[in-house]
Amino acid sequence: MSWRSKVQDTMLVPPWLEPLLNTAFFSVCRTHSDAARSECNMYCLDCNDTSFCFYCRSSRHKDHQVIQIRRSSYHDVVRVSEIQKVLDISGVQTYVINSARVLFLNERPQPKSGKGVSHLCEICARSLLDPFRFCSLGCKLVGIKRNGNASFVLEAKNEVELERSEGISRRRVIPSRREEEELREGLQQDIYPPTPPPPPSSARRRKGIPHRAPFGS
């Protein structure tokens, strides 16, 4: 792999993802082996080291970014609600297990897909329930390394563009000093409307009793 490819992969994949996918989970913690919740089913994205248990999190990773790994049919899964906060999981098939939406960390072996299967993983050809590209995070990682046409990094470009457009809009809305004075005068006129002009004198004359002109002698 060339240095350009390595740089590109680094931009598309966070540095903690590949170690996470290669980590073994659900072993017994050596420090807290006698405790009830001693299985190592957590991973720290800040330390990026190894799996640990509930008690290690309380003592060593209290203020760190930690995700919990769960297990389904002897395969490691992670809840979508947790992983989507730190990872772009678009294109990865999700499943609902025990009323929670999850996705698998790595590829799972399966028999060769039969005929009539409409959705397949682009990497391992596993049959998928929905029109997704990958069956797991691991297969998406392989797809990124091969083709570079996907990404795990959450796009912040939309937020930047939104802020930029809002800034342009704000600059357009800000009036000049002359416009501001005219606007202020207009507001004052709205608050203190000018006194209407007096009506014509004919309108102000009160009608009296008509008098006939005297007859000439």
Side-chain angles (χ1 to χ4, degrees):
M1 181 182 294
S2 64
W3 66 271
R4 292 182 183 273
S5 299
K6 290 182 179 180
V7 171
Q8 184 178 10
D9 290 345
T10 303
M11 295 174 61
L12 300 177
V13 181
W16 50 263
L17 180 60
E18 197 161 359
L20 167 67
L21 300 180
N22 293 327
T23 298
F25 292 96
F26 297 98
S27 60
V28 177
C29 178
R30 297 180 180 180
T31 306
H32 307 96
S33 57
D34 297 332
R37 304 173 65 178
S38 61
E39 59 182 8
C40 297
N41 62 347
M42 297 191 179
Y43 191 84
C44 180
L45 307 185
D46 295 324
C47 297
N48 196 16
D49 187 12
T50 186
S51 59
F52 51 88
C53 73
F54 170 81
Y55 305 101
C56 291
R57 176 180 183 174
S58 302
S59 59
R60 303 176 186 175
H61 309 274
K62 185 177 180 181
D63 298 324
H64 293 181
Q65 203 166 21
V66 174
I67 59 174
Q68 182 177 351
I69 306 301
R70 292 166 170 82
R71 179 154 285 190
S72 174
S73 301
Y74 303 101
H75 295 285
D76 297 336
V77 300
V78 61
R79 285 187 175 179
V80 171
S81 58
E82 289 188 51
I83 196 67
Q84 68 181 359
K85 297 177 182 178
V86 294
L87 208 63
D88 182 356
I89 59 173
S90 58
V92 181
Q93 173 73 65
T94 60
Y95 302 86
V96 177
I97 300 176
N98 295 331
S99 302
R101 186 163 292 277
V102 302
L103 50 80
F104 287 88
L105 295 190
N106 292 295
E107 171 189 349
R108 294 165 292 151
Q110 72 160 2
K112 189 176 181 179
S113 301
K115 296 181 180 180
V117 178
S118 56
H119 308 302
L120 297 175
C121 176
E122 294 181 5
I123 304 303
C124 68
R126 183 180 183 88
S127 59
L128 304 177
L129 302 176
D130 304 300
F132 288 95
R133 298 179 57 190
F134 310 103
C135 69
S136 61
L137 296 178
C139 282
K140 182 174 180 178
L141 177 61
V142 175
I144 291 175
K145 289 185 175 182
R146 286 182 183 178
N147 306 316
N149 58 355
S151 174
F152 276 119
V153 179
L154 291 173
E155 288 291 337
K157 182 172 64 175
N158 294 337
E159 298 179 1
V160 174
E161 291 180 352
L162 180 60
E163 293 176 359
R164 185 180 303 170
S165 63
E166 288 179 350
I168 294 175
S169 300
R170 284 194 294 267
R171 288 197 297 270
R172 290 177 178 175
V173 171
I174 296 175
S176 63
R177 178 172 296 181
R178 180 179 178 182
E179 293 172 341
E180 189 175 356
E181 291 176 354
E182 293 177 354
L183 179 63
R184 187 182 297 110
E185 291 177 359
L187 291 175
Q188 291 175 352
Q189 291 175 3
D190 292 338
I191 297 173
Y192 306 104
T195 304
S201 58
S202 59
R204 300 181 66 184
R205 181 186 303 169
R206 296 182 63 183
K207 294 182 179 181
I209 301 174
H211 296 279
R212 291 184 178 183
F215 293 100
S217 53

